[in-house]
Amino acid sequence: RMRLVEPAFAYTIHKAQGCEADSVILLWPALPSTTDAFLYQENLNDGYEMRLLYTAITRAKGRLDLVTVKQSHHVEL
């Protein structure tokens, strides 16, 4: 029953620094709600988010799958 299962490794982005893999799946969080927007903006301003994303992307030697949440926006009229 388990013939198609292959072992895999899971790392945080920080733990993966200096490592490479043939295939990387990156789970990236959704954009913050308005209550968290101030903290998120601070992280963007100091470049933290961009450096973190760069580190994650450059771990992939061959394939990168980016997985994130699709947000729906509800507008009341």
Side-chain angles (χ1 to χ4, degrees):
R1 293 176 115 178
M2 301 289 283
R3 282 183 236 145
L4 299 176
V5 175
E6 293 182 31
F9 295 98
Y11 289 106
T12 64
I13 293 171
H14 295 293
K15 185 79 170 176
Q17 278 187 301
C19 299
E20 287 184 328
D22 292 329
S23 179
V24 171
I25 300 171
L26 174 58
L27 306 176
W28 196 254
L31 291 175
S33 66
T34 54
T35 56
D36 298 326
F38 179 75
L39 179 60
Y40 183 77
Q41 188 61 42
E42 283 184 343
N43 284 339
L44 283 179
N45 289 340
D46 72 6
Y48 175 75
E49 293 279 328
M50 295 303 289
R51 289 191 308 272
L52 194 62
L53 187 58
Y54 173 82
T55 299
I57 290 171
T58 57
R59 300 309 94 197
K61 290 194 295 186
R63 178 184 174 122
L64 170 73
D65 292 313
L66 176 61
V67 179
T68 190
V69 176
K70 180 180 177 183
Q71 292 180 325
S72 62
H73 299 282
H74 178 75
V75 177
E76 291 203 27
L77 301 175

